Amino acid sequence: MRILLIEDEIAIAGFISEGLAEEGFAVDVAHNGKEGLAMALDHLEEYDLLLLDWMLPGMSGIEICRNIRKQRPAFPIIFLTARDTVDDVVFGLETGANDYLRKPFAFEELLARIRVLLRSSAGEQTVFRHKDLELDIARHQVLKSGAPIELTQKEFALLELLLRNKGKVCRRSRIIEKVWDIHFDHDTAVIDVYINALRKKLDTAGQVSFVQTIRGVGYRVNDD
Ligand code: CA
């Protein structure tokens, strides 16, 4: 899952993006309204959610929200702001934000709201299965034949992407877009390293791998 954060306060932006990265999200940050809107519109299909500050240099969060809504009416947007009168809250939501979080907030609350919003925008499914594997997003847990398997955050994000797209090829470019952030240096060999790590943890000896290599294109988990 890839998130765009538009927030001009450097310390807050750093705190949020580091926390989300630890939770396995790919996060891009813009510190200026105009720059943030440009990033959003350039990559709108790649982002899954926008965290948007209200008061920003260059362009306000409200204007950014309106612009994005014209392109993608259902795009998940959470406002982050110190403005907290009831009128402001109502105005923010009427402008098209899905949710609204007042500063200062606890990171855990932000995370919970992000997960709720991503769940509702992606449909209700939170558990994905393939043969003896089970990935549970709400519990952030992977089971193999019922036994928990420890995955790193990036491994978890990659497995989630593959299982969400079961039966379809995940192209290498799409894997990079969804699992790594904009600062990624474009050596896509890192994908193969992570796929190999997943195979070591999840494959059963003597059986074909849970994930198939589509040479030169990407990876696919076959339908059962
Ligand atoms: Ca601000």
Side-chain angles (χ1 to χ4, degrees):
M1 291 285 170
R2 183 161 167 185
I3 292 177
L4 176 62
L5 167 63
I6 308 179
E7 165 63 78
D8 61 317
E9 286 166 71
I10 307 283
I12 294 177
F15 155 78
I16 295 172
S17 64
E18 280 166 28
L20 291 175
E22 280 171 22
E23 293 295 323
F25 292 97
V27 186
D28 297 331
V29 182
H31 298 297
N32 170 290
K34 279 190 180 144
E35 177 200 342
L37 179 63
M39 282 168 76
L41 294 181
D42 281 354
H43 301 275
L44 206 50
E45 296 308 316
E46 292 151 33
Y47 289 119
D48 298 288
L49 185 138
L50 171 63
L51 296 176
L52 181 58
D53 187 24
W54 181 306
M55 306 284 277
L56 286 164
M59 183 183 279
S60 76
I62 295 286
E63 267 181 275
I64 293 170
C65 187
R66 286 197 179 121
N67 266 284
I68 290 172
R69 278 281 170 266
K70 281 186 212 152
Q71 312 270 334
R72 264 184 79 180
F75 188 70
I77 298 175
I78 300 178
F79 264 122
L80 307 174
T81 176
R83 302 181 68 148
D84 63 352
T85 68
V86 172
D87 283 353
D88 287 337
V89 173
V90 170
F91 182 59
L93 294 174
E94 281 177 350
T95 308
N98 301 80
D99 204 351
Y100 192 103
L101 206 52
R102 296 182 179 101
K103 296 175 190 170
F105 51 81
F107 180 74
E108 290 304 316
E109 184 178 3
L110 174 64
L111 191 59
R113 291 190 188 211
I114 288 172
R115 293 218 160 112
V116 166
L117 200 48
L118 288 176
R119 259 202 306 276
S120 55
S121 71
E124 287 306 302
Q125 191 176 1
T126 59
V127 177
F128 296 87
R129 293 190 180 83
H130 176 66
K131 297 185 176 164
D132 62 344
L133 299 178
E134 181 180 307
L135 178 140
D136 186 326
I137 290 168
R139 293 200 170 112
H140 204 74
Q141 175 176 268
V142 172
L143 301 175
K144 179 176 167 63
S145 302
I149 304 286
E150 289 290 323
L151 296 186
T152 66
Q153 298 294 355
K154 280 272 183 273
E155 288 167 358
F156 189 95
L158 178 55
L159 181 63
E160 179 186 337
L161 180 69
L162 291 166
L163 293 181
R164 274 186 189 277
N165 293 282
K166 198 164 138 174
K168 292 182 266 182
V169 178
C170 288
R171 294 182 170 273
R172 299 177 70 86
S173 56
R174 183 167 155 78
I175 294 174
I176 291 294
E177 285 165 9
K178 287 290 183 186
V179 180
W180 279 271
D181 64 34
I182 207 167
H183 300 297
F184 182 72
D185 65 3
H186 297 291
D187 179 3
T188 64
V190 70
I191 298 172
D192 309 302
V193 173
Y194 277 84
I195 290 281
N196 284 337
L198 282 175
R199 283 175 169 156
K200 271 194 190 135
K201 291 180 179 182
L202 302 177
D203 281 349
T204 304
Q207 293 185 13
V208 295
S209 177
F210 81 98
V211 59
Q212 309 312 308
T213 305
I214 314 299
R215 196 166 292 280
V217 180
Y219 291 94
R220 179 181 64 218
V221 173
N222 288 332
D223 283 321
D224 291 327

